Amino acid sequence: MSTRANRDRTSAGGARAGLLLGCTLLVGCALAAAGCARGGRSAAHLHRLYGLAPPLAFTLQDAASGATVTAAAFRDRVVMLYFGYTHCPDVCPTTLAKLAAAVRELPAADRDRVRIAFVTVDPARDTLAVLRAYAAAFGPEVVGLRGTRRQIDRLAARYRVTYAFGAPNARGNYDVTHSSAVFIFGRDGRSAAVVEPSDGVAAIRMTLNRLASRA
Amino acid sequence: MSVFAAALRFLLPWEFSPVALAGCALPVAAYLRGLRTRRARGRPEVALRALAFLAGVGSIYAVLQTHLDFLAQHMFWIHRVQHLVLHHLGPFLIALSAPAETLLAGTPRTLARTCRPLVANRVVRGLYRRLQQPVVACVLFVGLIVFWLTPAVHFYAMLIRPIYLTMNWSMLIDGLLFWWLVLGPERASAPRLATRMAMLVAVAIPQAILGAYLTFTASPLYDVYGLCGRAFAISPILDQQLGGLNTWIPPGMMSALGLIVLASRWMRSDESARRVSSGALARAAGRSG
């Protein structure tokens, strides 16, 4: 009899705990949903990464010099990592222009502390010369990087992004669908933030400012 | 690359996880050993049950440790398929196969002895009992789906590997707990059949609402797939609609299947109870006569 009563008590306690948990979850989800209605962050801020994505690391070929370059060469620089290709009709040029504009708006002292690492996912068409000219067109802080398919794939997988080639047309041209994310790393190489296509120059500049002035 | 080589590559892990490999291989090894032991003891396992267990574990391994995992990271609707297996289908099949006896028979005695203090631990038992209250289990089951599908949470889950792994493992563990509670053995401490049936209905309704919401929302809710690049070209809205349908229809089917299983058990227990009581009546009549 007493065990029966005990069981009823624990199941009543369980039901209460369940209701409490349920209410907490519902309120939490409602708050989160409310946050997401505004894009998960206020318009002035980027999605922060808090070092949760892996630190910057790669081995690629620098388009300017043709030499092999690793992330160590970008130590003490704020790096914006972006994957694209030079034949990209719209997304790549607008993104690079936006990033370069954010850098130009920085105080002169901080400007040299920022690099835009543009990694081509289409090394077949993006030769060193093509990539060098393309990067230079956007500004001195843009570094064009290319590598073997294996090197590029490894870097893309590291940041959980991907790309895919479309079918070539009659003239052999093809589109490449690719990630639109820009990953920002602090001067210590830690992942700091990610830029979405909807983010504006002001939000990017604020993050760069914060990271560049922090040792 | 030949079709064969491509297929073989697809079957390799996208991101190798020793935990997933061991978590699938060790129970299967113990289970196969248990099947042999039981046959030797003259109490062989029903073939269909063995098939259900192996299919359950196999499906979980397939969604975690093949290139399906890559597709699930870069396509919303394939992510929903992955969770359907982790949270519903795999655990459902495992619970349906009632594998406890075979697993125990196949577990090396020394290992069983090492694990006994953990299983007997009061904190572990208390936690397990609390989680396995019907209301708590239902809230957790639906709550986890809603939590991980909250757009801000989903964004980071898809972008950050440790959060992604936490999401998948939490879905799998909760799926095992839930379906074990619903389809597991009938003991004095387990919920009654009617309660189990009510649980299946209770979790089906919010899943249907959520699935319908995803299917009929006209704007993309999960930008993160566009941000990271989709595995193949498909419009964000179509991706979301397929994902919504996968959140809506198959989970409802799983609840319906569960109800059929429980209903058949109910009828069987009803029948045997009637047989017992009529037998007792006959005996009583014989004694008085």
Side-chain angles (χ1 to χ4, degrees):
Chain A
M1 193 61 216
S2 75
T3 53
R4 175 82 222 172
N6 266 337
R7 227 192 108 195
D8 284 352
R9 242 198 323 275
T10 46
S11 74
R16 256 203 310 279
L19 280 179
L20 201 67
L21 189 64
C23 293
T24 318
L25 274 175
L26 280 180
V27 171
C29 291
L31 285 178
C36 293
R38 296 184 294 121
R41 65 222 186 281
S42 66
H45 293 93
L46 306 178
H47 275 295
R48 292 178 77 154
L49 289 176
Y50 308 101
L52 288 167
L56 188 65
F58 60 80
T59 305
L60 292 164
Q61 203 178 9
D62 186 347
S65 65
T68 300
V69 65
T70 66
F74 292 85
R75 256 286 139 89
D76 211 37
R77 301 264 195 269
V78 175
V79 176
M80 294 194 268
L81 176 69
Y82 180 55
F83 298 86
Y85 66 117
T86 64
H87 288 67
C88 184
D90 42 25
V91 187
C92 302
T94 49
T95 305
L96 283 174
K98 189 161 71 177
L99 299 182
V103 176
R104 271 197 304 279
E105 285 185 15
L106 288 175
D110 287 345
R111 226 171 289 158
D112 192 45
R113 293 209 180 118
V114 181
R115 291 287 178 275
I116 299 168
F118 178 72
V119 179
T120 178
V121 295
D122 186 19
R125 282 186 297 184
D126 292 343
T127 59
L128 283 179
V130 170
L131 192 56
R132 188 187 312 134
Y134 187 78
F138 288 97
E141 65 281 351
V142 182
V143 181
L145 297 167
R146 79 191 283 276
T148 61
R149 175 76 48 227
R150 207 186 161 76
Q151 287 170 329
I152 296 167
D153 281 353
R154 194 177 303 156
L155 185 62
R158 185 175 170 87
Y159 296 102
R160 305 178 85 71
V161 299
T162 192
Y163 59 92
F165 294 98
N169 65 12
R171 293 169 58 203
N173 286 327
Y174 50 87
D175 276 342
V176 186
T177 57
H178 58 94
S179 130
S180 57
V182 179
F183 294 89
I184 306 187
F185 299 86
R187 291 165 63 185
D188 52 2
R190 256 168 58 100
S191 58
V194 62
V195 183
E196 284 199 83
S198 56
D199 290 320
V201 172
I204 300 169
R205 193 203 60 227
M206 269 176 62
T207 299
L208 291 179
N209 210 340
R210 175 171 62 84
L211 292 171
S213 54
R214 198 164 61 191
Chain B
M1 195 162 43
S2 73
V3 178
F4 180 70
L8 211 63
R9 215 174 88 93
F10 189 85
L11 290 178
L12 290 175
W14 169 245
E15 287 171 319
F16 174 66
S17 155
V19 180
L21 180 63
C24 291
L26 293 181
V28 165
Y31 192 84
L32 293 176
R33 196 160 168 264
L35 286 180
R36 217 179 42 206
T37 312
R38 287 187 59 174
R39 206 173 326 122
R41 285 182 194 159
R43 287 170 45 85
E45 176 61 293
V46 184
L48 266 180
R49 281 187 172 183
L51 205 65
F53 180 81
L54 296 174
V57 180
S59 66
I60 290 168
Y61 178 84
V63 295
L64 289 179
Q65 291 287 282
T66 67
H67 276 52
L68 252 175
D69 186 43
F70 165 77
L71 296 177
Q73 289 175 26
H74 292 286
M75 211 61 123
F76 179 65
W77 75 269
I78 300 178
H79 152 77
R80 293 316 302 156
V81 172
Q82 184 186 43
H83 274 204
L84 187 68
V85 172
L86 288 178
H87 203 209
H88 290 85
L89 187 67
F92 180 96
L93 287 171
I94 291 171
L96 191 65
S97 74
E101 190 186 336
T102 310
L103 278 174
L104 275 178
T107 306
R109 208 162 292 159
T110 45
L111 181 65
R113 214 173 304 139
T114 328
C115 291
R116 200 167 302 150
L118 182 71
V119 178
N121 186 288
R122 269 182 50 193
V123 180
V124 173
R125 291 190 86 96
L127 182 69
Y128 181 78
R129 209 174 43 237
R130 292 222 162 73
L131 288 178
Q132 294 297 67
Q133 296 288 339
V135 179
V136 178
C138 288
V139 169
L140 257 182
F141 191 81
V142 175
L144 271 180
I145 300 173
V146 174
F147 175 75
W148 290 117
L149 279 177
T150 306
V153 177
H154 202 76
F155 181 87
Y156 282 107
M158 283 298 158
L159 211 57
I160 312 279
R161 182 151 190 257
I163 302 179
Y164 178 76
L165 293 177
T166 307
M167 170 175 76
N168 282 354
W169 284 105
S170 69
M171 292 305 268
L172 175 59
I173 292 167
D174 180 61
L176 288 168
L177 285 173
F178 180 83
W179 290 104
W180 184 248
L181 188 63
V182 169
L183 299 176
E186 282 147 62
R187 294 201 204 92
S189 58
R192 281 169 303 181
L193 272 179
T195 312
R196 297 173 185 222
M197 291 175 139
M199 288 172 72
L200 287 177
V201 177
V203 298
I205 295 166
Q207 289 186 90
I209 295 172
L210 179 62
Y213 173 71
L214 294 178
T215 309
F216 294 121
T217 299
S219 60
L221 292 164
Y222 303 105
D223 297 335
V224 68
Y225 294 90
L227 195 66
C228 291
R230 283 193 167 73
F232 40 91
I234 165 177
S235 85
I237 284 298
L238 180 61
D239 193 11
Q240 186 165 305
Q241 285 167 341
L242 290 173
L245 287 173
N246 263 312
T247 311
W248 179 3
I249 311 292
M253 309 281 279
M254 296 304 295
S255 272
L257 267 179
L259 283 171
I260 292 171
V261 170
L262 293 178
S264 75
R265 275 195 209 166
W266 196 349
M267 286 193 287
R268 226 177 306 138
S269 71
D270 224 30
E271 226 164 76
S272 60
R274 212 174 313 131
R275 223 175 295 134
V276 166
S277 62
S278 63
L281 270 179
R283 266 198 305 280
R287 216 176 295 134
S288 70

